[in-house]
Amino acid sequence: MRVGTERESTGEDNVVVGRPLAEATSFGASDLPRQDVIASRRMRHAAWTMLFAVVGVANATPRPEPVCGRWLTEDKRGVIHVYLEGDGKLAGRLVGGPAPNENDVKNPDPALRGRALLGIKLMQGFVRNEDGVWREGSIYDGEEGKTYKATVRLGDRDPNRLLMRGYVGVPLFGRTAEWTREAFPSSDACIDPQPLRGNR
């Protein structure tokens, strides 16, 4: 038997095996949790709390409208940024394709023929129906200087295809152009990309 240490338990209460008698019979500062251990535990708890909060906010953030974003036109000559206006209606602005100095020379309004094509709002007024089709809008064709009524919807099998049907009178007598998604929807996809050169 070693002097100064407790023996194996003999059935007596309050026996601590293998510790010096002085430690077994008194509790000092060494028996309390160290301050750095407490701080570490608190930091881990705070980190987990922040993680759950971030995940909760991410899950609560609504996904952007899938039709929003940048679309390459069928003839590959223009890029249209489709977005939502303040009233929830769908609109589209020409953000790529024409040269910066290419003007809207075929516009039926002589006062607008000097404006640059790049940056103008080509699409406006579209309202989403329950069937997922955007209707009641119009699209301006800068190459012809004409405005058509139109409907917009995503492709049935491919959400990276946008079907733009322009028509005169009724949709039955029109033509559908297929646009290709250039960029996937992001958090700012449904925001007006800001008019270029002050065009509207």
Side-chain angles (χ1 to χ4, degrees):
M1 179 179 71
R2 290 171 51 191
V3 177
T5 62
E6 292 177 319
R7 302 173 54 112
E8 294 288 335
S9 175
T10 58
E12 299 177 1
D13 294 335
N14 302 324
V15 176
V16 181
V17 179
R19 292 182 61 193
L21 289 174
E23 290 184 23
T25 56
S26 64
F27 294 91
S30 61
D31 295 291
L32 298 175
R34 294 176 54 187
Q35 293 299 320
D36 57 343
V37 174
I38 295 175
S40 176
R41 289 175 181 170
R42 288 178 178 169
M43 289 178 64
R44 285 199 300 269
H45 181 268
W48 279 108
T49 301
M50 289 177 62
L51 177 61
F52 288 130
V54 169
V55 170
V57 170
N59 289 336
T61 302
R63 292 184 176 182
E65 167 59 45
V67 77
C68 289
R70 293 166 61 98
W71 297 89
L72 184 64
T73 57
E74 187 174 61
D75 60 7
K76 315 299 183 190
R77 297 182 61 184
V79 177
I80 314 296
H81 185 120
V82 177
Y83 61 94
L84 293 177
E85 298 194 288
D87 57 4
K89 293 183 178 180
L90 197 70
R93 195 174 292 280
L94 184 64
V95 295
N101 59 352
E102 188 175 346
N103 292 337
D104 189 13
V105 295
K106 292 189 178 180
N107 197 297
D109 183 350
L112 296 177
R113 292 173 186 168
R115 69 175 181 172
L117 281 172
L118 193 62
I120 65 173
K121 187 193 297 184
L122 297 179
M123 298 168 52
Q124 58 187 343
F126 291 87
V127 178
R128 189 178 191 276
N129 287 28
E130 294 180 358
D131 58 2
V133 179
W134 294 82
R135 295 185 168 91
E136 303 177 28
S138 63
I139 183 167
Y140 173 68
D141 183 347
E143 293 186 352
E144 297 182 2
K146 295 181 180 180
T147 299
Y148 299 94
K149 294 180 180 180
T151 62
V152 177
R153 67 181 178 87
L154 293 178
D156 295 329
R157 298 182 179 179
D158 187 355
N160 294 318
R161 295 285 185 269
L162 184 143
L163 305 178
M164 165 67 69
R165 184 169 184 81
Y167 61 92
V168 177
V170 294
L172 180 63
F173 303 106
R175 178 184 177 278
T176 300
E178 186 176 286
W179 295 359
T180 306
R181 190 186 298 278
E182 186 189 71
F184 288 98
S186 59
S187 59
D188 61 349
C190 284
I191 300 175
D192 187 346
Q194 298 300 320
L196 302 178
R197 295 189 178 183
N199 287 334
R200 295 183 176 274

